[in-house]
Amino acid sequence: MKKMLIVAAAAGMLSLAACDHKTDAAQNVADNASNTADMIDNTAAMVRDNASNTADEVKAMGENKADALENKADAVRAAGENKADAIDKAAKK
């Protein structure tokens, strides 16, 4: 994110340096286009950030689901062992 801000700042400086239009109308058109392009770039960066955050959330949810399933498997094993022990205990009598 920091690199993107540096690149955006540098691009902004370059665009200011290239502002040698002969008329105010031409300069306004160029400025408006540059501002619109900056907004589009910012939107693109937000989309990337949101996608990354969403991917992280999905991964975390998947990890939690997998952990819950592993806990369930451990509980089933433990219940099976307890039942088997009870059967063995009943058979020894």
Side-chain angles (χ1 to χ4, degrees), residues 1-12:
M1 183 71 166
K2 188 175 180 181
K3 288 181 184 178
M4 289 175 43
L5 291 174
I6 292 170
V7 170

Side-chain angles (χ1 to χ4, degrees), residues 7-88:
V7 170
M13 287 181 183
L14 288 176
S15 66
L16 289 175
C19 295
D20 291 338
H21 296 287
K22 294 179 182 176
T23 65
D24 288 342
Q27 186 61 53
N28 287 339
V29 169
D31 290 344
N32 287 338
S34 180
N35 290 338
T36 300
D38 288 345
M39 288 188 298
I40 293 168
D41 283 338
N42 290 338
T43 302
M46 288 184 340
V47 167
R48 282 192 180 92
D49 288 344
N50 287 339
S52 178
N53 292 340
T54 300
D56 291 344
E57 289 172 13
V58 169
K59 184 177 178 183
M61 287 177 9
E63 289 292 328
N64 289 340
K65 178 93 172 169
D67 289 344
L69 289 168
E70 288 172 344
N71 290 340
K72 187 173 184 175
D74 290 343
V76 168
R77 279 190 194 93
E81 284 295 321
N82 290 340
K83 192 170 188 175
D85 289 345
I87 291 169
D88 284 344

